[in-house]
Amino acid sequence: MPILAEITYEDGSKENKYYPAEIWRFNDKEVKKVLGTEKKITNIKIDPNGLTADVNPDNNSWPKEESDSKFDSFKKKSLSN
């Protein structure tokens, strides 16, 4: 699968990067990529629009985003009714 990344900078601007599937050819467990930029990076999201198949979308951002589990969401919804 290719890697689709959305990079957010300190000034609020965003940049979308596309890395082809060949990036995995030497190591299918992890990929390392150096991003040379003048701006400070504040956030990176992998596949921000959910276009690729992903078993665990909870690990697609840096820094890690905290989100409610499906159970917690269900519990909040049932308590509000």
Side-chain angles (χ1 to χ4, degrees):
M1 295 298 273
I3 298 176
L4 310 169
E6 179 183 79
I7 302 162
T8 306
Y9 297 101
E10 191 173 40
D11 63 1
S13 62
K14 294 183 179 187
E15 179 180 14
N16 289 315
K17 296 272 193 179
Y18 172 84
Y19 302 103
E22 289 80 14
I23 198 166
W24 300 99
R25 74 179 160 190
F26 295 120
N27 184 350
D28 64 352
K29 302 288 183 219
E30 76 177 9
V31 172
K32 294 180 183 179
K33 187 71 177 168
V34 176
L35 301 173
T37 179
E38 297 288 323
K39 301 176 186 179
K40 183 177 178 183
I41 296 173
T42 58
N43 190 320
I44 299 175
K45 285 189 177 187
I46 304 298
D47 192 21
N49 299 321
L51 299 176
T52 60
D54 193 353
V55 174
N56 184 9
D58 294 334
N59 64 358
N60 286 359
S61 65
W62 173 87
K64 184 177 174 155
E65 294 178 348
E66 297 296 326
S67 62
D68 287 341
S69 66
K70 288 182 182 180
F71 176 74
D72 289 335
S73 298
F74 173 77
K75 192 165 67 170
K76 286 179 185 177
K77 185 178 176 182
S78 65
L79 290 176
S80 66
N81 289 334

